[in-house]
Amino acid sequence: MRVLPVPCLRDNYAYLIEGRRPGEAVVVDPSEAPPVLAALEREGLRLAGVWATHHHWDHVGGIAELARAFEGVPVVAYEGDRARIEGATELVAAGATFEALGLDVRVLHIPGHTLGAVAYVVTEGAGAPRVFTGDTLFGAGCGRLFEGTPAQMYASLTGTLGALPDDALVYCGHEYTEANLRFAAHVDGGNAALAERRRRVAEARAAGGPSVPFTLGEDRATNPFLRAHAPALRAAVGAGDDPAVDEVEVFARLRRAKDEF
């Protein structure tokens, strides 16, 4: 399996996934068509599928043009978004599994950013899973809560996505990692793993490279939104040792602090 990040708009990523069928690829979250079409031509690939993680325009804006260019291409979306993703041809439920390009795919329902947000977990044999998280989990961050509740988002992050192994490779919807790491350092400044990640990401970005993919294990160690249990994060939002403040409330306070950072 090969995954090619395709920069779109100002800071979005679409992703081309090439599996075991030579010359074919699927695309995740094509916010606009021209960069995807250019990447397909450059790599000598034909589009065999489109997967949407959620309904926001900056993740689905290129679907109509791609569907015109590749007539009959299947467009996969969550069943709960049937009325919000125009052009969807295959609606999938939470926990659904399917095969694409010789790869195994599992759908995770991860509400919070939107109520219909999903992630696609792609595996090939015994290799590490690749998970496409849209705007739910970012490098060292998470999406804003436009539709869901803090409890829903925290469950999606630490329960549903949290069930994946540390070696899972995460491909998120935006290049936000440097900005997220600045906030993380603000609330978790004593975290040595965080300082090292900031250094590596800064080097990669300065060289023109992406901050994706990253491992879920690395993010667990450095993402404040996955660390609401940590004493340093509790202290940062004024929770301290107060047993009345649970992890969901710590998460909610962190998300509000990030919104205002």
Side-chain angles (χ1 to χ4, degrees):
M1 177 181 5
R2 183 171 69 119
V3 179
L4 176 66
V6 181
C8 296
L9 301 176
R10 185 170 64 88
D11 52 29
N12 279 73
Y13 285 123
Y15 294 101
L16 289 178
I17 306 171
E18 187 179 8
R20 293 178 173 176
R21 282 166 35 189
E24 293 189 325
V26 298
V27 65
V28 182
D29 283 357
S31 55
E32 53 179 343
V36 175
L37 292 169
L40 289 166
E41 182 175 4
R42 183 174 64 249
E43 300 295 326
L45 297 170
R46 183 186 183 280
L47 189 64
V50 179
W51 304 346
T53 64
H54 64 293
H55 69 89
H56 285 164
W57 70 271
D58 63 329
H59 291 257
V60 301
I63 289 178
E65 186 174 344
L66 291 172
R68 287 194 296 270
F70 296 91
E71 186 175 356
V73 66
V75 177
V76 178
Y78 178 58
E79 62 181 2
D81 274 350
R82 68 174 65 234
R84 302 206 287 182
I85 298 180
E86 186 177 355
T89 64
E90 298 189 11
L91 298 168
V92 291
T97 60
F98 60 93
E99 182 273 338
L101 306 182
L103 306 172
D104 296 315
V105 187
R106 180 161 54 105
V107 179
L108 304 180
H109 183 214
I110 47 172
H113 180 66
T114 68
L115 293 178
V118 294
Y120 298 94
V121 181
V122 185
T123 54
E124 182 178 23
R130 319 288 182 98
V131 55
F132 299 84
T133 59
D135 286 0
T136 299
L137 176 65
F138 294 127
C142 73
R144 289 177 180 264
L145 277 65
F146 287 120
E147 297 175 6
T149 66
Q152 285 176 314
M153 180 65 110
Y154 194 62
S156 293
L157 292 171
T158 63
T160 306
L161 292 171
L164 296 172
D166 279 346
D167 66 351
L169 290 169
V170 179
Y171 297 83
C172 57
H174 291 266
E175 184 55 76
Y176 288 165
T177 310
E178 279 192 297
N180 288 338
L181 286 168
R182 286 195 294 273
F183 172 74
H186 174 68
V187 294
D188 197 15
N191 186 333
L194 173 58
E196 171 60 17
R197 187 179 188 184
R198 287 190 80 186
R199 182 193 64 78
R200 287 187 287 100
V201 168
E203 287 183 356
R205 296 297 293 150
S211 66
V212 291
F214 51 88
T215 67
L216 190 55
E218 176 183 38
D219 216 50
R220 285 189 175 112
T222 55
N223 187 332
F225 299 105
L226 304 183
R227 290 169 43 76
H229 61 280
L233 276 300
R234 291 184 63 87
V237 296
D241 296 326
D242 186 350
V245 182
D246 63 10
E247 289 184 22
V248 171
E249 176 58 23
V250 172
F251 168 81
R253 293 183 187 184
L254 286 167
R255 184 60 259 182
R256 289 194 295 270
K258 177 63 167 63
D259 291 344
E260 298 168 1
F261 184 68

